[in-house]
Amino acid sequence: MTEISVASFEARKRIRTDQPHTARIWNYWLGGKDNYEVDQVAGDQIRKLHPGIGDYALADRQFLGRAVGYLAGECGIRQFLDIGTGLPTADNTHEVAQRIAPESAVVYVDNDPIVLAHAEALLTSTPEGRTTYLDEDLRNIDTILEQAARTLDFSEPVALVLLGVVIFVEDDEEAYGTVRRLMDALPSGSHLVLSHTITRPDMPDVDAAVAFWNENGTPKLTQRTPEGVTRFFDGLELLEPGVVSCNRWRPDDDSAEPPAEVAMFGGVARKP
């Protein structure tokens, strides 16, 4: 079963095609077709500043698949609240979860009209499961929880998925407080899956790429140190290997040499 909160036709009227947009550039780096020339130009300029940007876009996407697969398979999680959905591509949260457990319920949340306009492609579900899309901002916590409760049972464990979304909350206390409030609303046994762009002295090209983006694109983003990303998991049981480069979180390839780090770090934690 699938649901959508507003018509995608109305969302299309809110889309600006004269300015590069992070969701469309991300889609471009991942080889998608839901982008415009203005996004491709900006994406190529950012890639010149940080040649590995496409690698960390891919690493973040693959991290999603491995984390959701682990939670649905090993942990038996059947409910997912995915905030900051992004444009649909291969192996979205509901596809990974319902491949393992067809009865899984997934609520997607995004306030981006570009994403909403493509929600028909995102909103597919097995007959046994349910997929819902909410047109809401991450900061509207009470509204998100109220509407998500129509699909999810908050007396049972839920996986909260926040991939590359709290980077758009500049104020630290607001960012950490938002994640804390969301997790406080979930019962014991729930999990947090979170990824975030980092800043680190040995990755100056990342800082240059982010600075270019914040001068030319929308919405603007905030980097945090690896330690700052780890802080989002305070009070939770952080699973091995902790907060690491996304492509180093339980990689499918068990070779002795770990992959080169990318500037997108992530982790998975359980609420005790």
Side-chain angles (χ1 to χ4, degrees), residues 53-74:
I53 191 71
D55 294 334
Y56 91 61
L58 180 60
D60 189 52
R61 195 69 198 178
Q62 292 175 338
F63 168 61
L64 169 68
R66 294 195 302 276
V68 171
Y70 169 78
L71 293 176
E74 305 257 346

Side-chain angles (χ1 to χ4, degrees), residues 183-216:
M183 288 305 299
D184 284 348
L186 305 180
S188 174
S190 294
H191 286 72
L192 171 64
V193 182
L194 182 144
S195 70
H196 199 295
T197 304
I198 66 157
T199 179
R200 206 168 65 181
D202 61 337
M203 295 180 172
D205 54 337
V206 178
D207 295 345
V210 170
F212 173 85
W213 172 255
N214 285 341
E215 289 174 6
N216 297 277

Side-chain angles (χ1 to χ4, degrees), residues 87-106:
L87 282 165
T89 183
D91 281 346
N92 300 293
T93 298
H94 72 283
E95 293 171 316
V96 177
Q98 292 179 352
R99 192 179 303 139
I100 296 168
E103 70 276 22
S104 297
V106 179

